[in-house]
Amino acid sequence: MHHRNQPGSAAPRVPERARRRLRNAVVALGVAACLAAATAPAGPATTAAAVSSAAPAAPAPMSPVLDQDFADPDVLTVGGVHHAYATNAHGRNIQHATSTDLVHWTVDTRDVLPALGAWATLDPPRHVWAPEVFDNGDGYTMLYTARDRAGGRQCVGTALAATPDGPFRPAGDGPLVCPLQEGGAIDASSHTENGTRHLLWKSDGNCCGLDTWIHLQRISPDGTRTTGAPVRLITQDRPWEGGLVEAPTLVRRDGRYVLLYSAGDYRSDAYATGWATSETLTGPYVKGDAPLMTTESFSGAVAGPGGQDVVTGPGGRDRILFHGWSADRSRRVLYAADLGFADGRPVVRGSKVRHEAELARVHHAKVRDARDAWGGRTVGYIDHPDSHVEFRVFAASAGRHNLAVRYGNGSLDAAGAPVSATHLLTVNGTGAVAVDYPYTGWDAWRTREVPVDLRAGWNTVRLTKGEHHAELDAVEVA
């Protein structure tokens, strides 16, 4: 009898000989995995899962790479040196720091934007933030947000410098973009394609009860004037966005345009980073089904992640730099993480991605409707020796990751007492080991966290029938 015991029913009676055979098989697989690990050649692990009674260390928690107020980071790489610029703090209009590895930073004690354009005011509170710096061919251009003296709204201005270290000096008689009727403009960034430079900016409608939009607009090579009309790309239309979208970053990966943006109240843990993709530069852009980075997706290790930028790091790999709140909520500090693109979808190492079991490859098991399951469905009847659920998961970079399995276990032993269940876990076809699921009851869900080693890119995670019976709701990979 290999049928899953139904919710509320007694467990099927399994002959003792069969149960003993299954236990021995699980133990043998675990021993084999340990022996394989002990005899494997030294070097970075890329394919094996490792779970046992002596489980491997979990992934290291994320820590800031610059533990000081450094919000809304923008990064420019010149001659192997990464220059990061950030919102006003420490008495500076715009902050500046340098690094050769995106991990260790040297903070510039100077203000790289010592003076603003005559159109801007420095009246308290100080409103100079969200810089963008790029190489314009003859020097360097900084786009910055400040408060317009005449209209009282925040607007985007331009400054120029001979070197990325500055100092940047204001250019032009007025702001570059300042749509007062839309609430002003903030959060400039740039994207260059086929020799044409484009400006991205947010209309700051949340200042005054209006919608917010991310715009794309052609500008001159040096960024001192606009050369085309703005095109609207996305607006706030998801509950998690909290009524606004801002802080755009545009890249092209896997043949698609990927627009990253922040949303929500930057002062709270609800601030988060979203994404949208398009086949063409001007859209339409289709938003992802879930945010890219949230406080919850980082399991609380980063609070309010946003203000992101994408940069090519050591080894030619994409990295994402962003801010999050310090533990005491006194400042927004700088974080860096590996970034990958799964067929155009961005994936950040350390930020959980959910994979629903009913959408995975299900073999000799059944999908059923289930109370309180994510998506309202689960995979049950994983009752046969060859029953398994196989997930295709993506890792931004190789190494130790966290796999969280959401399961339900209502198994009872022959005497009718609750009992733990197991599944056998393999990653990329190797390293079979048992994952233990304490009793929960049917349609009662709990998460089991398992450290696993993944290779960069796509991986296959399979959970196969072990002892007793358990159902799979989803897995999350961080």
Side-chain angles (χ1 to χ4, degrees):
M1 298 175 62
H2 296 292
H3 296 290
R4 164 195 170 274
N5 40 307
Q6 299 290 339
S9 68
R13 185 176 298 278
V14 180
E16 178 59 31
R17 181 186 302 175
R19 286 193 289 162
R20 193 163 50 244
R21 190 182 303 122
L22 182 56
R23 276 197 303 271
N24 291 341
V26 173
V27 171
L29 282 167
V31 171
C34 291
L35 288 174
T39 57
T46 58
T47 60
V51 185
S52 67
S53 58
M62 181 168 285
S63 299
V65 294
L66 184 56
D67 194 6
Q68 71 172 52
D69 199 341
F70 205 83
D72 306 311
D74 170 72
V75 183
L76 169 71
T77 304
V78 179
V81 177
H82 304 290
H83 295 260
Y85 307 87
T87 281
N88 72 90
H90 314 293
R92 300 165 205 148
N93 290 324
I94 296 296
Q95 302 181 83
H96 175 233
T98 55
S99 173
T100 57
D101 59 7
L102 299 174
V103 176
H104 305 91
W105 292 89
T106 300
V107 177
D108 193 341
T109 58
R110 301 171 304 126
D111 188 340
V112 292
L113 183 65
L116 306 183
W119 58 270
T121 178
L122 272 176
D123 292 343
R126 185 185 295 260
H127 287 277
V128 187
W129 57 11
E132 159 82 358
V133 178
F134 59 83
D135 184 342
N136 63 34
D138 294 319
Y140 297 86
T141 298
M142 174 182 286
L143 306 174
Y144 64 95
T145 297
R147 186 167 294 278
D148 178 55
R149 188 182 300 276
R153 302 297 186 196
Q154 296 183 103
C155 298
V156 173
T158 305
L160 302 173
T163 72
D165 298 303
F168 289 83
R169 303 297 183 188
D173 298 327
L176 176 66
V177 179
C178 193
L180 298 179
Q181 71 281 4
E182 297 182 49
I186 69 170
D187 291 354
S189 68
S190 66
H191 175 80
T192 300
E193 187 166 301
N194 298 325
T196 300
R197 192 174 302 279
H198 301 267
L199 172 72
L200 292 104
W201 53 275
K202 170 216 176 181
S203 56
D204 201 31
N206 56 289
C207 75
C208 37
L210 302 174
D211 287 336
T212 62
W213 284 89
I214 301 299
H215 297 78
L216 182 77
Q217 187 170 13
R218 291 194 306 275
I219 57 173
S220 61
D222 65 359
T224 59
R225 56 191 174 85
T226 59
T227 60
V231 176
R232 288 178 167 181
L233 302 184
I234 61 170
T235 188
Q236 77 284 350
D237 57 12
R238 300 293 176 88
W240 72 265
E241 293 169 342
L244 64 90
V245 293
E246 60 189 20
T249 303
L250 184 63
V251 297
R252 191 176 187 189
R253 298 291 185 274
D254 298 335
R256 293 191 182 115
Y257 294 92
V258 183
L259 176 63
L260 307 180
Y261 65 95
S262 299
D265 184 349
Y266 78 91
R267 297 165 295 185
S268 75
D269 288 4
Y271 201 58
T273 301
W275 60 281
T277 59
S278 174
E279 300 299 322
T280 62
L281 177 62
T282 56
Y285 282 82
V286 178
K287 292 183 180 179
D289 52 1
L292 176 64
M293 300 188 296
T294 68
T295 303
E296 192 279 330
S297 76
F298 281 114
S299 299
V302 180
Q308 73 297 316
D309 195 19
V310 175
V311 63
T312 302
R317 298 189 63 86
D318 282 325
R319 301 272 284 168
I320 186 167
L321 278 79
F322 57 99
H323 70 239
W325 284 103
S326 60
D328 63 0
R329 300 301 193 272
S330 66
R331 60 196 183 280
R332 289 176 289 170
V333 298
L334 180 65
Y335 290 90
D338 293 331
L339 174 66
F341 292 86
D343 299 331
R345 175 192 176 118
V347 177
V348 174
R349 183 162 183 172
S351 179
K352 292 182 291 189
V353 176
R354 181 178 300 174
H355 303 268
E356 297 280 1
E358 66 271 16
L359 302 179
R361 183 175 177 270
V362 177
H363 178 76
H364 213 168
K366 296 180 181 179
V367 174
R368 73 172 183 89
D369 294 337
R371 185 181 66 252
D372 297 329
W374 289 336
R377 296 189 296 169
T378 187
V379 176
Y381 300 91
I382 308 171
D383 295 343
H384 308 273
D386 64 339
S387 295
H388 62 256
V389 181
E390 189 172 275
F391 300 87
R392 189 167 179 253
V393 305
F394 188 91
S397 57
R400 182 60 42 83
H401 291 68
N402 189 68
L403 177 73
V405 183
R406 195 169 194 251
Y407 75 94
N409 167 27
S411 297
L412 305 174
D413 64 15
V419 64
S420 291
T422 63
H423 282 153
L424 301 183
L425 169 67
T426 60
V427 176
N428 299 321
T430 65
V433 290
V435 181
D436 180 68
Y437 303 127
Y439 179 86
T440 63
W442 297 124
D443 290 337
W445 309 101
R446 191 179 300 171
T447 298
R448 192 69 164 169
E449 293 192 352
V450 182
V452 296
D453 290 327
L454 301 177
R455 62 193 176 203
W458 290 105
N459 297 260
T460 300
V461 172
R462 177 183 287 189
L463 289 158
T464 302
K465 171 76 168 75
E467 283 196 306
H468 300 290
H469 308 278
E471 296 188 326
L472 291 176
D473 184 20
V475 300
E476 292 183 307
V477 180

